[in-house]
Amino acid sequence: MDLRQLRYFKEIVDQGSISKAAEVLHMAQPPLSMLLKQIEERYGTSLIKRYRQKWEITEAGQMLYNHATHMLQQMEMFDVKMDYMMQGEVGQLRVGVSSSCIHLVGDVIRQFSQSYPKVELQIFKGDSEKLEQMLFNNEIDIAVILAPENSEQYEEFPLTPSPFALAVPKNWSNEIDLDVVSIQNLMKFPFISLEAMEGYSMLENIIYYLKEKNISLNIVAKCKDITIAQYLVAKEVGISILPKIQLGYVDGIHFVDLPELEIAIQPKLFYKQEATFSPICRNFIALFKSNT
């Protein structure tokens, strides 16, 4: 039996007569009578006992009525869920955020969660190189990362760039005159270096800049994660050249601008073209764009 037949049978029982059910269903009475007869013939039993002034549902009829009620309720619930999904109001969204971009997503994620409470957000953290690979492999839907040099295969939306600056532990201010800082003098201090990432030339640009200044580095630590690099500077492991962004450990750091170092990180929102087919992704992208 299909849902239409179940709905018609349920209406017959609810109205207590075929004629009343036909009125509610806006159809003629004979086809409805024929439907009831066909169902009874199919199962080889009476579903409704009909007397002159008496109407009584049989045990088999009650079983079919309960089944019809359940199936129609399930279909109604499915329709509601489908409507939610098509509006991007239910489902799952996988977002990758690099540590250098985490400060750009907090407000958007809060607003999205408030606007779409039935959407489950999965947040993935890692360096931009790793997250770009996850986006390529369809392991995440959207990535907020530093822009790779080759990004033609993605849709993208640029975010606020952050210039690089010299990051110095604040507690070293007694040893360093930060008002008349000379980068050459600072290079006698231990240095924390960002490691190279495939598809990104930031490290190469920094090294080229320092070579032009005839500066050799006393590298004591290397890492790809800018948050970790900031933490090491704040803990006085050494100085570094880092993007001037507000991450977790910036209170322990003094940033010294280096105008001659003309490089910056360029965060972008990345997604594949097919992501725009998903209402959830479209909603997140639209909210992100409206906040920048």
Side-chain angles (χ1 to χ4, degrees):
M1 293 180 65
D2 59 31
L3 286 173
R4 179 185 62 85
Q5 293 171 318
L6 290 174
R7 183 164 70 90
Y8 286 1
F9 175 75
K10 181 178 181 300
E11 199 63 53
I12 292 172
V13 176
D14 287 341
Q15 297 301 323
S17 77
I18 293 176
S19 59
K20 291 182 180 179
E23 290 179 14
V24 172
L25 294 170
H26 304 290
M27 61 185 295
Q29 182 176 335
L32 205 54
S33 299
M34 181 63 68
L35 171 68
L36 180 58
K37 182 179 179 182
Q38 289 173 347
I39 296 174
E40 289 179 327
E41 288 177 350
R42 175 178 179 177
Y43 292 109
T45 184
S46 295
L47 300 174
I48 296 173
K49 292 181 179 179
R50 298 173 290 282
Y51 306 101
R52 290 181 181 178
Q53 300 296 328
K54 190 175 181 181
W55 177 280
E56 181 180 338
I57 189 168
T58 66
E59 182 178 356
Q62 186 64 53
M63 181 181 294
L64 180 59
Y65 177 82
N66 293 341
H67 173 69
T69 300
H70 174 74
M71 292 300 294
L72 291 169
Q73 286 176 343
Q74 290 295 310
M75 192 63 202
E76 184 177 342
M77 291 173 60
F78 176 80
D79 288 343
V80 171
K81 290 180 179 179
M82 182 64 75
D83 288 340
Y84 275 132
M85 188 187 75
M86 295 310 295
Q87 296 298 321
E89 296 180 4
V90 66
Q92 184 184 83
L93 181 65
R94 303 165 301 170
V95 181
V97 185
S98 72
S99 61
S100 54
C101 300
I102 193 69
H103 63 297
L104 300 171
V105 302
D107 289 341
V108 175
I109 289 175
R110 174 179 54 79
Q111 292 178 33
F112 186 84
S113 296
Q114 291 173 349
S115 300
Y116 305 99
K118 295 183 183 295
V119 174
E120 176 188 334
L121 274 173
Q122 286 191 319
I123 310 297
F124 296 82
K125 181 176 177 291
D127 60 61
S128 295
E129 179 186 357
K130 174 185 175 182
L131 293 174
E132 193 272 330
Q133 188 62 45
M134 290 180 68
L135 183 64
F136 179 80
N137 293 335
N138 295 315
E139 297 171 341
I140 55 178
D141 305 302
I142 292 172
V144 185
I145 57 177
L146 304 183
E149 293 169 355
N150 181 17
S151 59
E152 291 86 357
Q153 58 193 312
Y154 305 113
E155 301 292 320
E156 60 183 59
F157 180 74
L159 305 172
T160 305
S162 298
F164 277 78
L166 190 66
V168 179
K170 278 189 176 178
N171 289 340
W172 289 9
S173 57
N174 293 332
E175 303 177 51
I176 305 170
D177 186 350
L178 297 175
D179 293 326
V180 291
V181 64
S182 166
I183 191 169
Q184 284 85 353
N185 293 336
L186 289 177
M187 288 307 143
K188 65 184 179 182
F189 294 95
F191 191 83
I192 299 157
S193 175
L194 291 176
E195 282 193 283
M197 294 189 295
E198 185 176 349
Y200 298 83
S201 60
M202 295 177 301
L203 179 62
E204 288 82 355
N205 291 337
I206 293 173
I207 292 174
Y208 179 78
Y209 166 77
L210 295 173
K211 282 184 177 179
E212 277 195 324
K213 299 288 184 179
N214 294 318
I215 296 169
S216 59
L217 299 176
N218 174 23
I219 297 176
V220 295
K222 294 182 179 180
C223 64
K224 291 182 179 180
D225 193 299
I226 294 174
T227 305
I228 294 175
Q230 282 196 356
Y231 173 78
L232 294 175
V233 173
K235 289 297 181 180
E236 304 179 31
V237 175
I239 64 173
S240 188
I241 296 178
L242 300 172
K244 194 176 179 180
I245 52 178
Q246 300 293 315
L247 298 178
Y249 305 101
V250 74
D251 287 344
I253 299 173
H254 186 95
F255 283 104
V256 181
D257 292 331
L258 300 171
E260 66 272 28
L261 180 60
E262 296 179 352
I263 62 171
I265 59 168
Q266 176 59 71
K268 288 186 179 181
L269 176 71
F270 285 97
Y271 51 94
K272 292 185 176 179
Q273 176 61 44
E274 53 264 34
T276 59
F277 303 153
S278 162
I280 294 176
C281 288
R282 287 202 305 268
N283 290 342
F284 186 86
I285 293 166
L287 184 60
F288 214 112
K289 290 182 177 180
S290 69
N291 275 264
T292 56

